[in-house]
């Protein structure tokens, strides 16, 4: 969560998505931060009693977007057209971009371009009041969970790219603990609600097993 990051990480890749203060979602975010502070991530990701699953997923999805935004923002100088001509997560996994509306046929592009497309697309979804309603009493759409799953699946790819292609600069910048804590929180969350297909997680399977085995 955002409180994990010091001022060194204040550079974000895209503008931070704020949850309006005083709203119920803001209260949920505060609850999430408080339970995260207890150190038990398995418990922290669980749906709080009496809360709506869609709203809990929405608040956490916004938060993960902000975290990844910040983490990627710290290494953009190392992720260039030259260093990363394709969007990959190790030698076996390559991603091509399509959003189904502006770009229907998947295109091969550099990692910075792919991540720019991806984060812009996520931002557009989060800003869409019909998909992510911020006002009390406005219902979530029927397709909300499938949209949230697509967002989280795509955000995972940014973690995978950072771990596979840019872990050295992460260590140099002393961001390793931030990255690991953020990713561990992300994985526990998607596992708790079964939000990302296991095959999609394959590029970081070993790391996932390592990070989660201590907390079974």
């Amino acid at each position: 969560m955002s409180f994990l990051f010091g001022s060194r990480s204040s550079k974000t890749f895209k503008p931070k998505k704020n949850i309006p203060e005083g709203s119920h979602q803001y209260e949920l975010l505060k609850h999430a931060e408080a339970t995260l502070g207890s150190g038990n991530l398995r418990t922290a990701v669980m749906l709080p009693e009496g809360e709506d699953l869609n709203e809990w997923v929405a608040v956490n999805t916004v938060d993960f977007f902000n975290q990844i935004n910040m983490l990627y923002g710290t290494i953009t100088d190392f992720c260039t057209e030259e260093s990363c001509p394709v969007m990959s997560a190790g030698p076996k996994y390559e991603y091509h971009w399509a959003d189904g509306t502006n770009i229907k046929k998947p295109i091969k592009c550099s990692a910075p371009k792919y991540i720019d497309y991806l984060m812009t697309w996520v931002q557009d979804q989060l800003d869409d009041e019909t998909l992510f309603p911020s006002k009390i009493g406005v219902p979530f759409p029927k397709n909300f969970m499938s949209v949230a799953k697509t967002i989280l699946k795509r955000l995972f790819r940014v973690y995978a790219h950072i771990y596979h292609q840019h872990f050295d600069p992460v260590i140099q910048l002393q961001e390793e603990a931030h990255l690991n804590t953020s990713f561990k929180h992300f994985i526990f969350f998607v596992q708790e609600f079964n939000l990302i297909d296991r095959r999609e997680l394959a590029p970081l399977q070993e790391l996932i097993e390592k990070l989660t085995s201590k907390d079974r």
Side-chain angles (χ1 to χ4, degrees):
M1 293 222 141
S2 47
F3 67 87
L4 292 168
F5 300 94
S7 55
R8 268 182 308 111
S9 310
S10 58
K11 177 189 175 192
T12 59
F13 180 60
K14 296 274 171 197
K16 187 172 185 280
K17 170 75 180 167
N18 289 312
I19 290 175
E21 267 189 65
S23 67
H24 183 61
Q25 291 187 8
Y26 186 78
E27 295 309 313
L28 269 182
L29 184 65
K30 290 286 144 221
H31 169 87
E33 288 186 356
T35 50
L36 263 183
S38 71
N40 187 335
L41 283 172
R42 278 268 177 247
T43 314
V45 297
M46 289 175 181
L47 180 66
E49 205 176 328
E51 292 298 345
D52 174 57
L53 178 60
N54 284 344
E55 197 153 36
W56 183 238
V57 169
V59 165
N60 281 277
T61 300
V62 169
D63 193 53
F64 289 128
F65 167 78
N66 285 334
Q67 287 186 42
I68 292 167
N69 200 0
M70 218 179 259
L71 284 162
Y72 185 68
T74 63
I75 57 107
T76 46
D77 292 348
F78 304 94
C79 187
T80 64
E81 302 277 332
E82 292 72 37
S83 69
C84 304
V86 295
M87 174 62 178
S88 62
K92 287 197 328 210
Y93 299 96
E94 189 178 301
Y95 301 111
H96 297 178
W97 178 254
D99 58 16
T101 47
N102 298 325
I103 300 171
K104 291 194 168 80
K105 196 174 173 215
I107 57 165
K108 189 172 179 169
C109 56
S110 68
K113 197 153 190 82
Y114 184 101
I115 293 170
D116 192 13
Y117 279 136
L118 187 157
M119 297 300 268
T120 302
W121 177 84
V122 172
Q123 207 168 21
D124 289 345
Q125 311 311 302
L126 300 182
D127 288 341
D128 184 342
E129 277 288 325
T130 64
L131 273 178
F132 279 78
S134 59
K135 294 177 181 69
I136 289 179
V138 177
F140 282 86
K142 286 190 170 58
N143 67 332
F144 169 76
M145 209 48 93
S146 73
V147 173
K149 284 178 176 180
T150 304
I151 291 172
L152 293 165
K153 175 180 79 176
R154 290 177 172 173
L155 289 176
F156 168 81
R157 295 171 181 176
V158 185
Y159 280 120
H161 181 72
I162 294 172
Y163 271 113
H164 276 284
Q165 314 302 136
H166 301 296
F167 199 58
D168 285 346
V170 166
I171 292 168
Q172 285 162 24
L173 295 163
Q174 298 179 316
E175 293 289 335
E176 189 184 353
H178 292 159
L179 176 62
N180 287 343
T181 307
S182 172
F183 182 62
K184 189 174 178 179
H185 177 205
F186 178 88
I187 284 301
F188 277 21
F189 189 82
V190 299
Q191 285 179 343
E192 174 72 15
F193 303 107
N194 202 15
L195 297 168
I196 300 181
D197 192 299
R198 198 179 155 82
R199 282 170 313 183
E200 283 284 339
L201 300 173
L204 294 178
Q205 195 51 49
E206 278 179 40
L207 176 68
I208 291 167
E209 281 167 17
K210 193 173 148 193
L211 288 175
T212 58
S213 62
K214 301 184 190 91
D215 297 85
R216 287 215 171 103

